[in-house]
Amino acid sequence: MVTQRTQVAIIGAGPSGLLLGQLLHRAGIANIVVERQDGDYVLGRIRAGVLEQTTCDLLIEAGVGTRMHADGMVHEGFELCFGGARHRIDMAGLTGGKRVTVYGQTEVTRDLMDARAAAGLTTVYHAVEVALHGFDTKTPSVTYLKDGEPQEIRCDFIAGCDGYHGVSRASVPPESLSIYEKAYPFGWLGVLADTKPVSHELIYSNHERGFALCSMRSPTRTRYYVQCSLHDKVEQWSDAAFWDELRLRLDPQAAESLITGPSIEKSIAPLRSFVAEPMRFGTLFLAGDAAHVVPPTGAKGLNLAASDIRYLSRAFIEHYAERSEAGITHYSDVCLRRIWKAERFSWWFTGLMHRFPETGAIGQKLQRAELDYLVSSRAASTAMAENYVGLPFEA
Ligand code: FAS
Ligand code: PHB
């Protein structure tokens, strides 16, 4: 068994794990990242597209803001489409100038990977049978196989950044966990295409045929979604069928001006609300999707992961630099207060915009009434805008 020693062992090389590794490195805290897949696999997963300002600030603090500044698109509003018309939510005007940046998770992950490699930091890819040991003691460790050879990392702390299906949360005794979960009765069929966006801002559409979202990755690359059945298989959806369905769910002007093209990625994602409490177990800390998942409607998934990492990196820095345990002690409670607010917003926005057959005709009427109220009330629009741009962090 080959044994390595570090201060923080990070499980998972997605945005949570890599961002934590980068922030800890810049604070002089040694860390090793252990990842089940390889870098290309992680980059190939097309996920989030919208960054809150606090997430952008954290990426800049981590030293990976250059490309985001150059290529990211700052958005001051988005549109809600219903009843054949679009209504703009003026985020900046309603929140005293707050905005979001459209910059894909793939690019965030690539920037973090490049920075880690440039710093000569260890990321173990293709680590199999990753197992966590002794996190209820002060001498935890992580073992795994690399090219069939048993490996061990002895550390002070383990950061479980290994996503919803990871081993970290699964390593916690079930009786120590409280799980809160809601599965939605539909999925999102997403298409990535090298086409000009239908609008310069995002369009969220509530239509009797189902939800649709027009997003983007750059002025020449688009990301579109339509609500689909959980029983749908991506192979059932030709590009033509996707573009036809998207057009049907947009207002006439957008449908007319939609530029279509061959999909370069097409996938179906299920939607769920999920929270595991607490997020700390001795020297094991869960962060990102390992601890919580939101339906992507509110663009909160990646931003919540960054929020956890902001708190966790500061907690480790306080521990090592200031010999203070305050951040570690309060990590779970502080994260969960912010997580639940984002879970609520994502659940509310999902309920407002999607087609729920079980609620019948009255369900659609109630959604339409709420949408009419939302776009005609400054108070309601402000509440939506301040949640979308990201609620302020607790002191
Ligand atoms: P991740 O799941 O990204 O990364 C976890 C990493 O851990 C992975 O690389 C995995 O391979 C690795 N891992 C897992 N098990 C392991 C083990 N046993 N050992 C070692 N490594 C292991 N959010 C949005 O804001 N907008 C969206 O549109 C959006 N779309 C999404 C679509 C899908 C299909 C999914 C699943 C999520 C989507 N999300 C979206 C949310 C997504 O962006 C997550 O919030 C984000 O990836 C969270 O990052 P991490 O916490 O790093 O988890
Ligand atoms: C995306 O661009 O992938 C995206 C944007 C906003 C959302 C969800 C996904 O709410």
Side-chain angles (χ1 to χ4, degrees):
M1 168 99 73
V2 174
T3 297
Q4 300 179 77
R5 176 81 180 85
T6 194
Q7 290 172 297
V8 181
I10 300 171
I11 316 293
S16 293
L18 292 174
L19 180 54
L20 177 61
Q22 191 60 14
L23 289 166
L24 294 181
H25 167 67
R26 288 171 71 91
I29 298 170
N31 64 88
I32 296 175
V33 174
V34 178
E35 165 59 48
R36 175 168 61 180
Q37 306 287 353
D38 63 25
D40 288 343
Y41 172 89
V42 178
L43 290 173
R45 301 175 314 180
I46 307 303
R47 292 190 167 172
V50 172
L51 305 181
E52 294 173 4
Q53 188 53 50
T54 49
T55 301
C56 295
D57 295 344
L58 202 58
L59 292 170
I60 293 162
E61 183 184 325
V64 296
T66 306
R67 245 178 17 117
M68 177 185 66
H69 265 313
D71 300 343
M73 296 171 284
V74 175
H75 283 204
E76 298 196 346
F78 59 87
E79 290 184 300
L80 297 173
C81 178
F82 58 93
R86 280 185 266 160
H87 307 262
R88 187 168 186 268
I89 299 290
D90 176 11
M91 288 187 294
L94 291 165
T95 62
K98 292 186 179 178
R99 310 171 301 179
V100 296
T101 297
V102 174
Y103 188 67
Q105 175 172 322
T106 298
E107 303 319 313
V108 170
T109 307
R110 193 190 315 278
D111 294 339
L112 288 164
M113 281 178 178
D114 291 349
R116 190 166 180 86
L121 300 176
T122 305
T123 303
V124 181
Y125 287 106
H126 292 305
V128 298
E129 296 180 24
V130 174
L132 288 62
H133 310 277
F135 51 81
D136 54 348
T137 75
K138 290 191 180 308
T139 54
S141 63
V142 173
T143 58
Y144 59 92
L145 293 177
K146 175 69 178 170
D147 303 328
E149 290 301 314
Q151 314 279 329
E152 178 191 41
I153 301 172
R154 292 179 184 169
C155 50
D156 300 330
F157 299 106
I158 302 173
C161 300
D162 47 350
Y164 179 74
H165 299 288
V167 66
S168 298
R169 190 181 73 250
S171 300
V172 175
E175 63 273 13
S176 302
L177 273 171
S178 298
I179 300 292
Y180 304 87
E181 185 159 22
K182 174 184 179 58
Y184 295 86
F186 41 74
W188 277 18
L189 168 63
V191 158
L192 197 66
D194 282 335
T195 56
K196 183 176 177 296
V198 69
S199 172
H200 67 290
E201 293 180 326
L202 272 58
I203 302 173
Y204 291 83
S205 180
N206 169 301
H207 191 276
E208 61 189 11
R209 296 178 65 91
F211 168 80
L213 170 59
C214 301
S215 183
M216 62 197 79
R217 290 292 179 270
S218 77
T220 58
R221 178 162 287 191
T222 51
R223 180 64 169 173
Y224 292 111
Y225 298 93
V226 296
Q227 173 183 349
C228 67
S229 162
L230 276 177
H231 307 300
D232 281 5
K233 298 283 178 275
V234 69
E235 303 75 37
Q236 289 170 248
W237 283 88
S238 68
D239 286 2
F242 175 84
W243 295 122
D244 289 347
E245 188 59 40
L246 177 62
R247 275 197 194 88
L248 289 171
R249 300 187 187 186
L250 295 175
D251 61 285
Q253 192 272 325
E256 174 66 30
S257 57
L258 180 70
I259 297 172
T260 67
S263 60
I264 54 179
E265 192 272 351
K266 190 170 7 181
S267 53
I268 293 178
L271 276 69
R272 69 167 57 88
S273 298
F274 174 89
V275 179
E277 292 188 3
M279 294 168 61
R280 178 205 174 186
F281 307 89
T283 48
L284 169 63
F285 296 79
L286 302 181
D289 276 24
H292 45 76
V293 176
V294 285
T297 321
K300 291 296 163 209
L302 178 56
N303 291 299
L304 267 187
S307 170
D308 293 348
I309 296 305
R310 180 180 182 277
Y311 286 120
L312 188 55
S313 59
R314 282 156 167 72
F316 286 147
I317 292 166
E318 280 175 24
H319 168 83
Y320 286 110
E322 301 161 25
R323 298 277 173 248
S324 161
E325 299 309 296
I328 281 177
T329 303
H330 300 298
Y331 169 73
S332 182
D333 289 345
V334 171
C335 283
L336 285 167
R337 283 196 289 272
R338 184 173 176 82
I339 288 160
W340 276 111
K341 292 188 182 95
E343 290 280 349
R344 181 216 60 87
F345 173 68
S346 304
W347 159 81
W348 167 79
F349 197 14
T350 300
L352 178 64
M353 299 305 289
H354 289 75
R355 183 92 174 74
F356 292 79
E358 67 278 13
T359 59
I362 190 171
Q364 281 192 272
K365 283 290 198 184
L366 292 169
Q367 283 181 340
R368 178 58 191 269
E370 182 159 10
L371 285 163
D372 283 336
Y373 166 63
L374 182 60
V375 300
S376 59
S377 157
R378 185 176 178 83
S381 297
T382 302
M384 169 160 221
E386 67 180 10
N387 278 280
Y388 194 91
V389 298
L391 296 177
F393 279 89
E394 289 182 19

